[in-house]
Amino acid sequence: TEAEQHTLYREHMEAFDPRPVTMRTLDIGGDKSLSYFPIQEENPFLGWRGIRVTLDHPEIMLVQVRAMLKANAGLEGELRIMLPMISSPQELRSSKILIKQAYEEVIEEGVSVKRPQVGVMIEVPAAVYQARQLAKEADFLAVGSNDLTQYMLAVDRNNARVAELYQDVHPAVVTALREVARSAHAEETPLGICGELAGTPIGA
């Protein structure tokens, strides 16, 4: 429920205040499953996952974003909402419309909240090659290195038969990272990274 999410989010935001907190909208599908929201597909990594789910179910996204916004009320720290599995600027625009709606609903309830920053996860090749456009329309970008590596190399890292082909410093992946960095810098848009790559010395 919105109240349950609010309680959890508030705990995190208070713990980090006055630092910013980045929260991802519901990110299920592929290798991320929920027992109470089963998704059965022949090819889940190329199917219904991430932002595709929440844009098809705006009621889920609105509840989550309202809970995030309310959890940020009265705190100095900034709320940053990150959108997973974005593959086109239109998905970003549609998401921003829903976030704006949630913000207006919270304001109408009499809760004083700041407008959140809205960011995009770069984790599919389509986003790499549209990074400049996404950087123009988003407040920040963050590379999702685990999924980006899988999609760039067409390798499921959880599949023992091909796991040795999963190389997060593969030349193609590094080139993609450089492309995203150049795009973000050109628009002066902050760029971060999520995933295991960022936690290794060679990745850093």
Side-chain angles (χ1 to χ4, degrees), residues 156-170:
D156 177 2
R157 64 196 179 115
N158 297 316
N159 181 337
R161 287 181 171 176
V162 294
E164 65 180 26
L165 298 175
Y166 179 92
Q167 302 168 23
D168 49 16
V169 289
H170 187 284

Side-chain angles (χ1 to χ4, degrees), residues 58-89:
E59 71 281 3
I60 292 176
M61 187 170 185
L62 288 169
V63 165
Q64 185 182 18
V65 173
R66 281 199 302 262
M68 290 175 177
L69 289 165
K70 290 178 181 177
N72 191 226
L75 299 179
E76 186 181 338
E78 187 174 51
L79 168 63
R80 294 155 46 100
I81 298 176
M82 189 158 64
L83 307 170
M85 288 297 294
I86 292 288
S87 59
S88 73

